[in-house]
Amino acid sequence: MVTALMVGNEKAFSELFNTYCNDVYAYSLSMLKNQALAEEIVQDVFLNIWLHRDRLNADLSFKSYVFTITRNLTFNLISKVANSHKLKEEVFYVSQKSYSPIEDIIDEADYDVIKQKAIEQLPPKRRAIFEMSRNEEMSYEEISKELNISVSTVKGQMSKALADIRNFLETHGDVTLLITLLSSRWLE
């Protein structure tokens, strides 16, 4: 079927769309927690596949390819939302009518638990460097002196810590927290 799609067979495209569209939607929805955006991702994924059908490799797993595109487009959208105040309001702020301070307190407590789990999974030395930087607000130079290591080692460990935490949050599906932390510059 992929081979037929590669030469522009619309029936093959339609069959692949029908086979994978619900899975793509569910996967994207699990990360975005927003039906309209997940539907948009489905359209973007299959538009991308159609436009680049000549680059497909019939020997590789089409399912893996579809989910890789879905993940990448979803993360691109998350980055766009994190950097756009207007989009953030549209997607993540609930109207005043449904405002619930108790839900906010619960969400904040859940986020703190997830953040803490993300930090706890770091190797001990990396976690110490990360916590000195974020919790104690120490500069890389101060951390370097405190731990008797080079500034470049501190930078390298911080870079790895941030990547590890981002990966943890991405794989644990909490996009709202990831966007919140990205927009607050906590993960930079």
Side-chain angles (χ1 to χ4, degrees):
M1 200 168 329
V2 174
T3 308
L5 171 61
M6 290 171 68
V7 294
N9 183 316
E10 291 180 19
K11 186 174 185 226
F13 176 77
S14 182
E15 287 180 33
L16 288 167
F17 177 84
N18 290 332
T19 301
Y20 292 103
C21 70
N22 289 334
D23 292 335
V24 167
Y25 173 78
Y27 181 52
S28 185
L29 183 63
S30 74
M31 291 188 285
L32 293 169
K33 314 289 192 241
N34 182 293
Q35 292 177 344
L37 290 176
E39 289 169 7
E40 187 178 315
I41 292 292
V42 171
Q43 297 303 315
D44 288 348
V45 165
F46 286 96
L47 175 62
N48 193 306
I49 289 169
W50 179 256
L51 293 174
H52 303 292
R53 64 189 177 276
D54 58 327
R55 297 184 200 158
L56 291 172
N57 183 339
D59 297 330
L60 299 177
S61 166
F62 184 75
K63 184 176 184 176
S64 294
Y65 179 71
V66 167
F67 282 98
T68 299
I69 293 172
T70 304
R71 186 192 68 222
N72 291 343
L73 290 174
T74 302
F75 289 154
N76 288 347
L77 181 61
I78 289 167
S79 292
K80 191 188 302 182
V81 168
N83 294 321
S84 166
H85 183 69
K86 184 177 181 207
L87 265 177
K88 214 184 302 182
E89 284 183 9
E90 283 178 30
V91 175
F92 296 101
Y93 293 125
V94 184
S95 71
Q96 291 293 347
K97 292 177 189 169
S98 63
Y99 174 72
S100 169
I102 295 194
E103 282 180 26
D104 284 351
I105 291 167
I106 292 169
D107 284 348
E108 200 169 303
D110 288 345
Y111 291 161
D112 285 343
V113 168
I114 294 168
K115 261 174 44 176
Q116 197 54 46
K117 282 182 183 175
I119 293 168
E120 286 171 2
Q121 55 88 32
L122 296 172
K125 193 78 159 181
R126 192 173 299 161
R127 180 176 47 219
I129 291 169
F130 180 83
E131 288 177 335
M132 292 169 100
S133 172
R134 291 301 185 263
N135 299 344
E136 299 172 34
E137 298 181 4
M138 293 173 70
S139 71
Y140 289 175
E141 291 79 17
E142 291 170 329
I143 296 169
S144 165
K145 288 177 185 168
E146 175 84 20
L147 299 177
N148 200 24
I149 56 177
S150 71
V151 173
S152 63
T153 300
V154 173
K155 287 180 183 177
Q157 288 298 310
M158 276 300 292
S159 179
K160 289 176 183 175
L162 294 171
D164 290 346
I165 290 170
R166 277 190 211 98
N167 288 336
F168 181 90
L169 295 174
E170 288 167 3
T171 57
H172 288 77
D174 203 304
V175 174
T176 307
L177 176 58
L178 181 59
I179 290 171
T180 302
L181 295 177
L182 283 170
S183 62
S184 72
R185 303 213 178 289
W186 192 76
L187 282 176
E188 288 184 355

